């Protein structure tokens, strides 16, 4: 084992001498307190190390021991419903060891060594296996957890056992003597292997109308949610974590306030997945590195989360990774970079900020998994960004924009008006729109794309008309343009606005979204058709069906929703008849 001594201490960064033979990203034990750290620079016999705990009290000449292995996470049964810190130490286990105030230098395995799991083999002696092949299964809550052959291992099964085992017990032995357990380790900074990346063509459904219908995201895609303070980033991330159409959710609280993570911890066990009926916490893994925790561990938390997500992806599972927020992660990079005395880039961030962001988001994807069996899994990354003052021109937002496929821009003015989700429909966009058009046409309706496009046109037209209204007032507009303003208002308030706290509206099925939008567009068409027959706009906006449209969010009966579109036409035609009779 390589052992050196501390030569310099600068906050979370230390320099150790006599470290010849060390490799980049090796994990080290620092000082008498055995603080965990990672080598991030090598110069001659000196190693620069970022320490994942508070370095207060460390002294020059204290020992530094190189473990010889890179920073890795433990992968296996027991990850679901867990809460870890940035380097995969389970927080409940740390609390049990040291109480409310976590002592330094405590290392706890990421997976419980004592818990036994019922292992059911799906292979038998004599079978040939390769990396990624499933050799058995374990029931982890409602999820069938596949026990896979680790990457780089190939051979013929000599013996395979059935029964209850801990994660470190040997369950399978290959002809060459290789022993396989249910536990794998994988370095966090290296993506797990797969066979082929697939095109993004399957939407990630969230039950949120503004996300699913207006700016869709795909499984294996990337999205960013930038927004200033109080615009609802965290609520949006938590809403997506609750309702996203994935079997597993990895939620990374990266540099956020402790009370926000507390909300997640207390709320998720009480919520039920609308698709499976099981508690949401049973499909969730949380990584908490709050703002008062060591800054270097915050930098690692992102990689810990994405590696766990890739592990479940390799089983053929769809995973959503939510990072809240990547701005705090960028700030951690900036602080460590400053300690390293690197040449600063824009706003003090390191020059390699864009590279690091791209490397992280590039690990998203929908792939054909490794192994001889056919498996398709995906990792979708949704990152919140907290630009100071809501300024989207700052480096984190701009560099993420170049990578993310969907841009959900949160608007402080909408949040101020209590319009949630406060997604600005003019600034937001989705690059996946054409990719999912066929899927929506086949699974929802052929005219989905058409209705969505017409709604966007009305919203954009409203912005143009509002400029005129501010100059000359609304009365100067002709009726055909006044109706655009009215319908745009209906789209905004009765379709895009959605309550995360309403039992009836917090999750909106895709079919209901389609019919809600269809009713609004048909109402628009009915008004324009009636206006051509000289029916006054004021009367058309006062038909009884208008109030039914305003209550569509609470309508659970899809049949009544479909009937509403016919009702709109009937009532407008009745008005036409009355108008013609009066004129005659």
């Amino acid at each position: 084992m390589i052992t050196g001594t501390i030569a310099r201490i600068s906050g979370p960064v230390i320099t150790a001498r006599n470290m010849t033979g060390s490799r980049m990203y090796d994990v080290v034990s620092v000082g008498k307190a055995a603080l965990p750290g990672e080598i991030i620079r090598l110069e001659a016999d000196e190693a620069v190390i970022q320490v994942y705990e508070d370095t207060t009290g460390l002294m020059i000449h204290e020992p530094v021991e190189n473990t010889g292995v890179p920073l890795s996470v433990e992968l296996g049964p027991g990850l679901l419903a867990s809460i870890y810190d940035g380097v995969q130490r389970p927080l409940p286990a740390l609390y049990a060891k040291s109480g409310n105030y976590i002592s330094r230098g405590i290392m706890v395995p990421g997976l419980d060594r004592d818990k036994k799991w019922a292992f059911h083999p799906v292979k038998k002696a004599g079978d040939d296996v390769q990396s990624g092949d499933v050799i058995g299964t374990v029931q982890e809550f409602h999820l069938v957890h596949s026990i896979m052959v680790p990457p780089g291992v190939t051979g013929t099964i000599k013996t395979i056992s059935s029964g209850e085992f801990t994660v470190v017990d040997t369950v399978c032995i290959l002809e060459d003597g290789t022993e396989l357990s249910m536990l794998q380790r994988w370095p966090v900074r290296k993506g797990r292997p797969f066979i082929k990346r697939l095109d993004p063509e399957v939407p990630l459904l969230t039950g949120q109308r503004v996300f699913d219908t207006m700016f869709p995201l795909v499984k294996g895609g990337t999205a960013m949610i930038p927004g200033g303070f109080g615009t609802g980033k965290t609520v949006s991330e938590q809403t997506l974590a609750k309702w996203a159409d994935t079997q597993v959710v990895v939620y990374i609280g990266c540099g956020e306030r402790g009370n926000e993570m507390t909300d997640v911890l207390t709320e998720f066990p009480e919520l039920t997945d609308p698709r499976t009926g099981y508690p949401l916490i049973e499909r969730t893994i949380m990584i908490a590195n709050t703002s008062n925790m060591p800054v270097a561990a915050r930098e690692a938390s992102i990689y810990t989360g994405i590696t766990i997500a890739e592990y479940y992806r390799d089983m053929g599972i769809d995973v959503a990774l939510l990072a809240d927020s990547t701005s705090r992660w960028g700030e951690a990079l900036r602080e460590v970079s400053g300690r390293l005395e690197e040449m600063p880039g824009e706003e003090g961030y390191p020059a390699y900020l864009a590279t690091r962001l791209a490397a992280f988001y590039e690990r998203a994807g929908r792939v054909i998994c490794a192994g001889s069996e056919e498996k398709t899994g995906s990792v979708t990354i949704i990152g919140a960004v907290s630009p100071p003052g809501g300024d989207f021109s700052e480096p984190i937002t701009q560099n993420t924009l170049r990578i993310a496929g969907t841009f959900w821009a949160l608007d402080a003015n909408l949040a101020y008006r209590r319009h949630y989700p406060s997604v600005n429909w003019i600034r937001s966009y989705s690059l996946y729109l054409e990719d999912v058009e066929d899927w929506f046409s086949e699974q929802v309706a052929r005219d989905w794309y058409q209705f969505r496009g017409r709604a966007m046109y009305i919203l954009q037209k409203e912005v143009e008309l509002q400029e005129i209204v501010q100059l000359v007032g609304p009365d100067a507009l002709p009726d055909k343009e006044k109706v655009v303003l009215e319908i745009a208002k209906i789209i905004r308030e009765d379709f895009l606005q959605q309550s995360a706290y309403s039992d009836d509206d917090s999750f909106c099925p895709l079919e209901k979204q389609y019919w809600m939008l269809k009713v609004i567009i048909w109402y628009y068409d009915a008004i324009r058709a009636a206006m051509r027959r000289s029916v006054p706009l004021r009367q058309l906006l006062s038909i009884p069906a208008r109030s039914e449209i305003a209550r569509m969010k609470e309508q659970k009966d899809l049949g009544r929703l479909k009937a509403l579109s016919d009702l709109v036409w009937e009532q407008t035609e009745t008005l036409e008849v009355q108008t013609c009779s009066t004129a005659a």
Side-chain angles (χ1 to χ4, degrees):
M1 179 180 292
I2 299 168
T3 303
T5 55
I6 298 176
R8 182 170 180 261
I9 303 169
S10 175
V13 177
I14 71 159
T15 303
R17 287 181 181 150
N18 302 321
M19 298 293 288
T20 304
S22 297
R23 296 171 300 182
M24 283 289 288
Y25 304 122
D26 275 356
V27 172
V28 297
S29 172
V30 178
K32 295 175 183 174
L35 307 180
E38 182 183 19
I39 296 175
I40 55 175
R41 180 189 287 173
L42 289 168
E43 292 177 353
D45 72 334
E46 289 188 345
V48 179
I49 298 161
Q50 60 177 359
V51 182
Y52 293 127
E53 293 202 40
D54 186 5
T55 57
T56 304
L58 278 183
M59 299 183 69
I60 303 297
H61 301 308
E62 285 195 33
V64 176
E65 294 182 351
N66 189 335
T67 63
V69 294
L71 181 63
S72 306
V73 290
E74 294 185 347
L75 305 167
L79 289 169
L80 293 180
S82 298
I83 175 168
Y84 296 109
D85 72 351
V87 289
Q88 210 205 5
R89 294 182 299 182
L91 292 180
L94 294 179
Y95 170 75
K97 278 202 167 188
S98 63
N100 287 328
Y101 298 96
I102 299 171
S103 303
R104 296 188 304 162
I106 298 179
M107 291 305 294
V108 182
L111 295 177
D112 190 341
R113 295 292 193 269
D114 299 324
K115 185 172 181 177
K116 290 194 172 182
W117 300 86
F119 175 76
H120 303 285
V122 296
K123 298 284 187 184
K124 60 183 185 302
D127 286 349
D128 294 327
V129 292
Q130 64 182 57
S131 302
D133 280 356
V134 178
I135 59 171
T137 59
V138 163
Q139 193 68 36
E140 188 178 11
F141 296 111
H142 63 281
L143 185 79
V144 177
H145 187 121
S146 300
I147 306 300
M148 299 173 289
V149 178
V153 176
T154 302
T156 304
I157 295 177
K158 181 179 180 183
T159 62
I160 187 165
S161 306
S162 174
E164 293 197 341
F165 302 94
T166 66
V167 292
V168 293
D169 290 338
T170 300
V171 295
C172 178
I173 301 175
L174 303 184
E175 294 283 1
D176 62 0
T178 303
E179 296 183 351
L180 302 181
S181 68
M182 291 187 274
L183 173 69
Q184 292 188 22
R185 290 185 179 83
W186 189 259
V188 297
R189 297 186 187 276
K190 182 180 178 184
R192 287 175 63 86
F194 56 85
I195 294 176
K196 181 184 177 184
R197 194 181 293 270
L198 300 173
D199 291 334
E201 53 190 18
V202 180
L204 178 77
L205 305 179
T206 65
Q208 309 304 302
R209 292 185 287 272
V210 68
F211 298 146
D212 292 349
T213 299
M214 306 308 280
F215 308 105
L217 174 62
V218 295
K219 289 180 178 176
T222 55
M224 65 179 291
I225 310 178
F229 178 77
T231 53
K233 293 183 298 299
T234 299
V235 172
S236 297
E237 289 260 316
Q238 292 177 6
T239 301
L240 292 167
K242 292 172 193 170
W243 310 127
D245 179 23
T246 55
Q247 291 99 318
V248 172
V249 172
V250 180
Y251 187 93
I252 306 172
C254 183
E256 290 301 297
R257 294 184 292 275
N259 60 334
E260 293 177 344
M261 284 307 299
T262 305
D263 287 345
V264 176
L265 287 172
T266 54
E267 193 177 352
F268 271 44
E270 300 172 1
L271 293 171
T272 303
D273 186 346
R275 296 181 180 86
T276 63
Y278 296 103
L280 282 169
I281 192 71
E282 293 182 0
R283 66 164 192 168
T284 307
I285 301 157
M286 296 186 193
I287 297 169
N289 187 273
T290 53
S291 53
N292 60 341
M293 295 173 82
V295 67
R298 188 186 310 166
E299 194 266 345
S301 64
I302 289 282
Y303 298 106
T304 299
I306 189 70
T307 307
I308 292 174
E310 288 176 338
Y311 172 68
Y312 279 97
R313 176 206 67 190
D314 291 346
M315 299 178 198
I317 286 175
D318 294 319
V319 184
L321 183 140
L322 299 112
D324 185 17
S325 73
T326 54
S327 291
R328 308 285 177 255
W329 177 64
E331 288 168 7
L333 284 177
R334 180 166 61 183
E335 181 168 342
V336 173
S337 174
R339 300 283 185 182
L340 292 171
E341 300 176 359
E342 294 173 334
M343 180 68 73
E346 193 178 358
E347 294 191 15
Y349 287 102
Y352 48 78
L353 174 67
T355 306
R356 292 288 181 89
L357 279 169
F360 167 61
Y361 279 95
E362 282 296 321
R363 290 175 73 170
R366 181 167 165 266
V367 303
I368 297 176
C369 308
S372 56
E373 303 111 353
E374 186 173 346
K375 293 178 292 182
T376 303
S378 68
V379 174
T380 308
I381 297 179
I382 304 169
V385 181
S386 310
D391 177 14
F392 287 0
S393 65
E394 59 89 37
I396 298 281
T397 307
Q398 287 301 309
N399 285 306
T400 310
L401 261 176
R402 298 170 189 164
I403 311 156
T406 300
F407 180 67
W408 293 322
L410 301 187
D411 191 319
N413 290 327
L414 290 174
Y416 182 75
R417 301 204 303 262
R418 297 289 184 262
H419 178 113
Y420 292 109
S422 58
V423 176
N424 186 305
W425 45 87
I426 300 301
R427 303 181 74 178
S428 301
Y429 63 82
S430 171
L431 299 179
Y432 303 117
L433 204 55
E434 294 182 357
D435 296 317
V436 299
E437 183 182 350
D438 291 341
W439 188 94
F440 274 94
S441 297
E442 294 170 6
Q443 304 293 329
V444 186
R446 289 186 178 277
D447 49 5
W448 168 83
Y449 192 78
Q450 176 194 349
F451 283 127
R452 185 261 174 204
R454 293 188 63 190
M456 281 303 299
Y457 170 78
I458 292 169
L459 291 169
Q460 289 165 358
K461 188 70 178 174
E462 181 200 27
V463 175
E464 297 173 14
L465 294 176
Q466 287 292 357
E467 294 179 2
I468 299 172
V469 168
Q470 288 175 3
L471 291 173
V472 297
D475 294 338
L477 293 177
D479 281 354
K480 68 177 182 179
E481 292 183 341
K482 285 180 182 174
V483 72
V484 172
L485 295 179
E486 291 294 335
I487 297 299
K489 182 181 176 185
I490 292 173
I491 294 173
R492 284 189 283 107
E493 296 181 356
D494 301 330
F495 184 79
L496 296 180
Q497 202 168 357
Q498 189 167 355
S499 172
Y501 300 103
S502 166
D503 292 337
D504 297 328
D505 196 37
S506 57
F507 179 84
C508 186
L510 202 56
E511 193 176 7
K512 182 179 177 182
Q513 295 182 33
Y514 165 75
W515 277 99
M516 287 178 68
L517 191 61
K518 186 171 184 176
V519 167
I520 294 171
I521 299 299
W522 276 22
Y523 183 40
Y524 176 55
D525 290 341
I527 289 177
R528 291 203 309 169
M531 285 172 59
R532 284 194 289 270
R533 297 178 179 85
S534 304
V535 182
L537 176 61
R538 182 175 51 79
Q539 293 183 22
L540 291 166
L541 295 175
S542 305
I543 60 173
R546 172 67 185 87
S547 59
E548 290 286 323
I549 292 173
R551 293 196 294 271
M552 284 191 298
K553 296 176 188 175
E554 285 77 31
Q555 182 57 262
K556 292 182 178 178
D557 186 351
L558 196 61
R560 292 191 62 179
L561 202 59
K562 293 178 180 177
L564 184 57
S565 55
D566 296 330
L567 188 64
V568 166
W569 281 103
E570 288 174 12
Q571 293 183 359
T572 52
E573 286 172 357
T574 303
L575 272 180
E576 288 179 31
V577 172
Q578 291 173 355
T579 304
C580 292
S581 302
T582 305

